[in-house]
Amino acid sequence: MKNISLYIIFLIFISCNTTTKQESIVKTQSKVSSTFLERVEPPNWWIGFKNNTLQLLVKEENIGNSTPTISYQGVHINKVHKGRSPNYLFVDLNIDKTTQAGKFDIVFTFKDGTKKTHTYELKSREKKADSYVGFDSSDAIYLITPDRFANANPKNDRFENLKETEVDRSHDYKRHGGDIEGITKHLDYIKDLGFTAIWPTPVLTNDMARGSYHGYAMTDFYQVDPRFGSLQEYKKLSEELSKRGMKLIMDQVANHCGLEHWWMKDLPFEDWVNDQVYYENNKENWSWKTVHTSNHRRTTNQDLYASEIDKKGNVEGWFVATMPDLNQRNPYMSRYIIQNSIWWIETLGLGGIRQDTYPYPAKEFMAKWVDAIMNEYPKFSIVGEEWSYNPLLIGYWQKGAKNRDGFISNLKSTMDFGMQKNVVDALNEPESWNKGLVKIYEGLANDFHYASPKDILIFPDNHDKSRIYTQLKEDVVNTKMALTTYAVLPRILQIYYGTEILMDDSEKPGDHGLIRTDFPGGWEGDTVNAFTGEGLSPKQKEMQDYTRKLLNYRKSSKAIHTGKTIHFAPLNGVYVLFRIVENETVVLILNKNEKPITIDLNRFKEIGLDHTILQNIISGEKLKWEESLTLNEKGSLLLTTKQNN
């Protein structure tokens, strides 16, 4: 009994002692939160960059009153910055070149001893920097508005936690349900047409009350909108493109965000967005009537005489009332945008970026942004949207431009709205000394101004302009002539989805909702299916076949990609252009005559095609280049010295 009593006393002692230790552990653990905070962005990073610094945006209640620490070999906190709001910290890290990939905790210690931790990951890079090869003049890019292309998964059409839940295909400005998976599902169709890259308009979260389908009012720069799919589906799209030898171009926006962006409810600094004080003081009555919008005077970027107030009006005004203008002169915002772009390049293995509204942000920042990306990815490509018809303005933004003000853009490519319009005018106007085909001739003559004409992007239409078929008054022959011209010019080529089947917006020309019409066959139950050809009219099928033959030849044509360009002034309603490399000459003949006309080929003797057999790229027919050539009908003739037997 005595031994039993001693044993019981011993068990009680152990139990009490263990309880005391457990209570102590619980008390210690109660001071430490879970391993994730509200936001840490970028959400992860990689080792092996040339720039070994990283700035983390940390968002958590009262996090500004904490001190962060990291214990991970090769990762050091260089500096910590507090925001105006106590709910932000910006943490500057140095990542040594010897640092290994892995996960580690960032511990945030508050004055009362409580701690919050966040587990962060540094990943190994899956691709070498040189393997990120961008788009160039050998590419034909298929531009897609994802919501209007194909709906592969109707289950992701609606999410009750998002502000716009209605899906209505009969309404031009509501969501229609197209998604990323719908694009992936039809990549073989796109490749078969001869395209080598796709550019979907933005698919990041756009939690706006209306008009969210287009994606340009982003409310989260690191999240895929669930109505388009998941990050994994976005990655799969990129992977499937790579398998087909194709590229993914991401549409990014550095100029603005959506009014419902999460940070607009708690801005980190007093100058995080432009006109912030005015917005905060008028938030309750905010509308298109109260907003200080951009004056859209983009020429202030180049104008030697521009007033400061006009310059400020372009850069600092909001694009529209629902799109706050980001202040890239704030160094934390600047760093945030640059790191976000790099994060997406690395995450998706991108083949390029299209940057929206390029002349609206501070141009010094845009040059810095491009430089930071190209420093890490020297073979990458970026195209900036410069909606101007003036070659002087278009060329100003291209790398290598000899600008009088000394501005160095670093940007490889800009968009050629000027030449796009020239081709349309050339085909719509009656022929005269200064109208008609001379618009193409004189438009190309402006190429002397460009640092690299072949690195400029040309297009027949896009998501903001009327369909080319509508621009050309629903003239099929003129539409083929335009498409052929754009495809042969010394440019990068981009075509909007549906151009290949003569989609139009003729009922309300220029109406954005109508321009972005659903692609037939992208939804279950569609009576017309352009993917299979079912239900297409004869002229739509003919245009689709024409596009396929044109682009598939272009895909392998060195003459079109990099060849010398020689053209001859229009004569009697006929314009002739040559693209030339060794062993290949491509001839474009545009004929606006309704009746047969014979042209004298001796005029083109300097090209050296006498007695050469050429093949019609579209029809396959062959002809011999002799003294003359009779053109029996209006249209385009595309010939090559390369022949398919």
Side-chain angles (χ1 to χ4, degrees), residues 243-461:
K243 288 178 184 178
R244 293 165 173 79
M246 301 170 72
K247 302 162 188 171
L248 174 62
I249 299 169
M250 185 177 184
D251 202 335
Q252 296 189 353
V253 186
N255 181 62
H256 53 262
C257 65
L259 191 61
E260 297 298 331
H261 193 288
W262 56 264
W263 60 41
M264 294 303 294
K265 298 167 182 61
D266 181 17
L267 289 157
F269 293 101
E270 61 279 356
D271 61 348
W272 190 247
V273 300
N274 287 313
D275 222 13
Q276 181 169 319
V277 174
Y278 180 78
Y279 165 70
E280 290 179 331
N281 290 336
N282 294 276
K283 192 180 294 187
E284 296 302 318
N285 301 310
W286 194 252
S287 72
W288 63 271
K289 295 180 180 180
T290 56
V291 67
H292 291 163
T293 55
S294 171
N295 61 18
H296 301 285
R297 299 299 181 187
R298 300 184 301 277
T299 55
T300 55
N301 284 295
Q302 299 90 0
D303 187 354
L304 299 176
Y305 315 120
S307 63
E308 290 302 318
I309 194 169
D310 285 347
K311 291 179 184 178
K312 184 176 179 181
N314 179 62
V315 172
E316 296 186 18
W318 289 28
F319 203 69
V320 293
T322 55
M323 294 181 180
D325 198 69
L326 305 178
N327 180 19
Q328 302 86 7
R329 290 163 296 181
N330 177 301
Y332 306 100
M333 172 62 79
S334 170
R335 191 73 176 272
Y336 184 91
I337 295 170
I338 290 170
Q339 290 180 168
N340 178 259
S341 293
I342 291 174
W343 190 87
W344 282 111
I345 294 170
E346 204 72 25
T347 297
L348 297 175
L350 291 177
I353 291 173
R354 180 264 184 182
Q355 182 60 250
D356 187 60
T357 54
Y358 198 85
Y360 286 87
K363 66 181 182 182
E364 294 79 12
F365 163 75
M366 294 311 298
K368 177 182 175 182
W369 172 78
V370 175
D371 187 55
I373 292 171
M374 298 307 294
N375 182 52
E376 297 293 349
Y377 308 96
K379 296 181 180 179
F380 199 66
S381 296
I382 302 170
V383 59
E385 180 196 28
E386 163 57 287
W387 193 327
S388 172
Y389 300 107
N390 186 342
L392 297 177
L393 302 181
I394 297 167
Y396 178 86
W397 298 104
Q398 193 177 30
K399 180 180 179 181
K402 306 209 180 296
N403 295 319
R404 184 172 173 182
D405 62 0
F407 176 69
I408 299 174
S409 168
N410 300 316
L411 183 67
K412 178 180 178 182
S413 180
T414 52
M415 292 182 170
D416 199 350
F417 282 84
M419 199 63 204
Q420 189 279 334
K421 184 176 185 298
N422 286 334
V423 174
V424 171
D425 290 346
L427 297 172
N428 278 337
E429 293 175 352
E431 286 299 300
S432 69
W433 174 257
N434 61 351
K435 289 185 178 180
L437 292 171
V438 72
K439 293 291 181 68
I440 300 175
Y441 182 72
E442 292 185 347
L444 272 183
N446 287 320
D447 277 14
F448 77 90
H449 174 65
Y450 299 132
S452 179
K454 69 181 180 63
D455 289 319
I456 293 174
L457 186 142
I458 192 67
F459 53 95
D461 46 17

Side-chain angles (χ1 to χ4, degrees), residues 367-590:
K368 177 182 175 182
W369 172 78
V370 175
D371 187 55
I373 292 171
M374 298 307 294
N375 182 52
E376 297 293 349
Y377 308 96
K379 296 181 180 179
F380 199 66
S381 296
I382 302 170
V383 59
E385 180 196 28
E386 163 57 287
W387 193 327
S388 172
Y389 300 107
N390 186 342
L392 297 177
L393 302 181
I394 297 167
Y396 178 86
W397 298 104
Q398 193 177 30
K399 180 180 179 181
K402 306 209 180 296
N403 295 319
R404 184 172 173 182
D405 62 0
F407 176 69
I408 299 174
S409 168
N410 300 316
L411 183 67
K412 178 180 178 182
S413 180
T414 52
M415 292 182 170
D416 199 350
F417 282 84
M419 199 63 204
Q420 189 279 334
K421 184 176 185 298
N422 286 334
V423 174
V424 171
D425 290 346
L427 297 172
N428 278 337
E429 293 175 352
E431 286 299 300
S432 69
W433 174 257
N434 61 351
K435 289 185 178 180
L437 292 171
V438 72
K439 293 291 181 68
I440 300 175
Y441 182 72
E442 292 185 347
L444 272 183
N446 287 320
D447 277 14
F448 77 90
H449 174 65
Y450 299 132
S452 179
K454 69 181 180 63
D455 289 319
I456 293 174
L457 186 142
I458 192 67
F459 53 95
D461 46 17
N462 63 23
H463 58 298
D464 290 326
K465 287 184 68 70
S466 274
R467 294 280 182 169
I468 188 64
Y469 188 48
T470 295
Q471 292 181 58
L472 294 171
K473 305 172 185 178
E474 298 194 351
D475 185 314
V476 177
V477 174
N478 277 354
T479 303
K480 289 179 181 177
M481 291 172 74
L483 190 62
T484 308
T485 304
Y486 293 126
V488 174
L489 294 179
R491 297 289 191 273
I492 302 164
L493 178 65
Q494 169 254 296
I495 295 175
Y496 197 29
Y497 79 98
T499 294
E500 74 272 20
I501 55 164
L502 301 172
M503 284 174 62
D504 70 88
D505 58 301
S506 302
E507 184 179 340
K508 293 182 288 183
D511 181 82
H512 282 186
L514 192 57
I515 290 168
R516 304 159 187 174
T517 299
D518 292 350
F519 192 79
W523 280 255
E524 187 175 351
D526 283 359
T527 55
V528 177
N529 189 334
F531 296 116
T532 64
E534 182 180 359
L536 291 179
S537 68
K539 66 181 181 181
Q540 286 178 312
K541 287 183 178 180
E542 184 184 352
M543 187 67 189
Q544 194 178 50
D545 185 57
Y546 188 93
T547 304
R548 183 180 294 109
K549 290 176 179 176
L550 173 65
L551 297 188
N552 275 291
Y553 180 84
R554 187 187 191 280
K555 186 186 294 185
S556 60
S557 173
K558 297 296 183 184
I560 295 176
H561 300 166
T562 59
K564 180 180 180 181
T565 303
I566 299 177
H567 66 161
F568 293 76
L571 184 65
N572 299 324
V574 178
Y575 170 70
V576 184
L577 177 144
F578 299 85
R579 302 296 311 280
I580 307 164
V581 292
E582 187 177 0
N583 299 322
E584 182 191 10
T585 297
V586 172
V587 186
L588 169 65
I589 302 175
L590 299 180

Side-chain angles (χ1 to χ4, degrees), residues 222-238:
Y222 281 100
Q223 184 185 70
V224 176
D225 195 308
R227 292 165 293 191
F228 287 133
S230 65
L231 178 59
Q232 289 305 314
E233 287 170 322
Y234 206 1
K235 288 181 178 179
K236 183 179 179 182
L237 172 61
S238 181

Side-chain angles (χ1 to χ4, degrees), residues 83-125:
R84 177 191 70 168
S85 166
N87 302 321
Y88 288 90
L89 272 184
F90 290 81
V91 183
D92 291 347
L93 303 181
N94 282 333
I95 303 168
D96 293 348
K97 291 183 179 180
T98 57
T99 304
Q100 299 296 307
K103 296 181 180 180
F104 56 89
D105 283 345
I106 309 173
V107 181
F108 298 85
T109 304
F110 294 81
K111 292 179 181 178
D112 63 358
T114 60
K115 300 176 187 290
K116 291 186 177 182
T117 69
H118 183 89
T119 301
Y120 199 77
E121 184 176 9
L122 291 175
K123 298 182 178 181
S124 296
R125 299 175 69 184

